[in-house]
Amino acid sequence: MIKRRPQRLDVIYSSEPVYFVTFCTRDRQRIPDLEKAQAGLEAYAQCGIKEFGAALGRYVIMPDHIYLFVSGDADFVLSKWVAGLKRAISKAVGNRGKFWQPTFFDHILRSDESCSEKWEDVCQNPVRAGLVKESDNWNIKVRLF
């Protein structure tokens, strides 16, 4: 069962906010190929600069969900960007069905400090999930476009 969608903010008082975004696969199914998912994410981020005025920051692709930081210009619409990203990753991994939950979680970061704190928390998720023993030993793919 998917809960009702959260409301988006009508007004944002920052000209270029940084969003922390999380989205999950439907019924928490596994992403079939993490490397292809990463390739799809990075390809979408490359064209996102021109098409959406958006810049992808750090991200982590987990087996059934994705964490990322993204910022956009004044005309940036986060929901459209995330929808396009989900389509790009689905195409990259060869999944044509309803692969993603229709919703996503986001919040606007208020300072550089909150960004670094959130990133540290995100880096510990693979440890908490039992995928690695220490985050220092995990080769996190980070791309800043």
Side-chain angles (χ1 to χ4, degrees):
M1 181 176 127
I2 298 174
K3 298 177 183 175
R4 69 181 180 88
R5 295 172 191 233
Q7 292 181 318
R8 306 256 76 79
L9 295 173
D10 292 331
V11 179
I12 298 172
Y13 296 99
S14 175
S15 61
E16 295 179 351
V18 175
Y19 296 93
F20 172 68
V21 177
T22 303
F23 55 94
C24 301
T25 58
R26 187 175 292 270
D27 300 322
R28 301 300 288 246
Q29 61 185 300
R30 294 181 72 80
I31 298 171
D33 188 324
L34 297 177
E35 288 185 20
K36 287 182 180 177
Q38 180 182 354
L41 182 144
E42 290 184 1
Y44 187 76
Q46 292 279 343
C47 64
I49 295 169
K50 291 183 282 185
E51 294 179 31
F52 293 100
L56 175 68
R58 294 175 168 177
Y59 63 87
V60 174
I61 301 173
M62 297 287 286
D64 61 2
H65 60 284
I66 295 177
Y67 299 106
L68 60 86
F69 295 88
V70 63
S71 182
D73 63 18
D75 298 325
F76 178 62
V77 179
L78 181 63
S79 58
K80 289 182 180 181
W81 186 85
V82 171
L85 177 59
K86 288 177 178 181
R87 280 191 303 275
I89 294 171
S90 292
K91 184 177 177 182
V93 299
N95 192 307
R96 302 263 184 240
K98 292 184 177 182
F99 187 62
W100 301 102
Q101 287 184 0
T103 60
F104 63 93
F105 168 81
D106 70 279
H107 74 265
I108 296 173
L109 299 174
R110 297 177 187 216
S111 68
D112 288 339
E113 182 179 340
S114 70
C115 188
S116 63
E117 288 172 5
K118 183 54 97 174
W119 177 243
E120 284 301 316
D121 185 50
V122 167
C123 286
Q124 292 304 312
N125 277 323
V127 177
R128 287 189 290 270
L131 300 173
V132 295
K133 291 181 181 180
E134 295 179 359
S135 64
D136 292 345
N137 295 334
W138 190 39
N139 183 17
I140 298 174
K141 302 286 185 180
V142 176
R143 278 301 243 289
L144 298 174
F145 292 96

